Amino acid sequence: MKKPYKTVECSRISIAELMQPSHSNFGGKIHGGYMLSLMDQIAYACASKHSENYCVTASVDTVNFLEPVEIGELVTMKSSINYVGKTSMVVGIRVEAENIRTGHVKHCNSSYFTMVAKDDEGKSSPVPGLILSSLEEVRRFLKAIERNKTKKNRLIEFNSTDFVLENYLEELSDYNIKIDL
């Protein structure tokens, strides 16, 4: 039987992996797509651990590659549930890379994956609530609420039918574009 509430600590997961030449791009750095794949795997593990169900990725929010990851570095990913809705969870992920010869650690990425729990029939399934045990956990929960509001506003704006091109043409003068209609 599922618990009605779980602590953030109950679903925390960390993974570490040595970055190999086979993971590199043409520039000799670890391929961003490979990093995203690892992030998706840890988001799945964290969300599944919290929900006790199979989970799917609904969205990925704010992926900023802050520092390149080098071949031979040890990448550590840390994840936790930052927010829960009825059937969805926001998994916060922090990516760090360590030069194993010097011990220097750099923050390479932070991201937020929205995961949805699924039952055996593939339908969205309710997830346990979240027990927030520190001010940092409360801050992360509130920040997730704000990101959700921003995301909803972007969708409303994107899907709006009352967009009038002429209202925005003057703004385009600030960009390096040429309009040739």
Side-chain angles (χ1 to χ4, degrees), residues 30-141:
I30 300 305
H31 196 283
Y34 182 73
M35 298 302 297
L36 284 170
S37 174
L38 290 176
M39 293 167 73
D40 193 48
Q41 289 175 44
I42 195 169
Y44 170 82
C46 184
S48 294
K49 188 173 180 184
H50 181 80
S51 68
E52 300 175 18
N53 270 317
Y54 172 75
C55 294
V56 296
T57 306
S59 70
V60 180
D61 196 17
T62 315
V63 178
N64 293 317
F65 294 95
L66 305 172
E67 295 281 342
V69 177
E70 307 288 337
I71 296 168
E73 288 184 323
L74 182 65
V75 167
T76 301
M77 295 188 181
K78 302 171 186 175
S79 67
S80 64
I81 301 293
N82 287 1
Y83 168 88
V84 295
K86 290 182 178 99
T87 62
S88 67
M89 300 148 282
V90 173
V91 178
I93 302 169
R94 180 179 174 91
V95 180
E96 296 175 340
E98 178 181 359
N99 180 313
I100 55 177
R101 292 189 350 236
T102 66
H104 175 72
V105 176
K106 60 187 175 185
H107 176 209
C108 299
N109 188 311
S110 287
S111 191
Y112 307 97
F113 279 58
T114 300
M115 308 296 288
V116 176
K118 298 291 185 174
D119 64 17
D120 292 338
E121 286 78 44
K123 294 188 169 114
S124 296
S125 177
V127 299
L130 197 58
I131 299 170
L132 305 175
S133 305
S134 71
L135 289 177
E136 180 64 17
E137 290 172 0
V138 172
R139 183 187 71 75
R140 288 177 178 168
F141 191 90

Side-chain angles (χ1 to χ4, degrees), residues 4-20:
Y5 292 90
K6 289 184 173 181
T7 63
V8 172
E9 186 61 37
C10 283
S11 60
R12 272 204 176 104
I13 293 187
S14 293
I15 60 170
E17 185 173 326
L18 187 63
M19 294 296 105
Q20 312 235 348

Side-chain angles (χ1 to χ4, degrees), residues 153-168:
N153 288 337
R154 276 195 318 254
L155 278 174
I156 291 168
E157 181 181 340
F158 182 78
N159 294 324
S160 173
T161 57
D162 61 352
F163 179 84
V164 179
L165 177 68
E166 289 75 21
N167 294 345
Y168 295 91

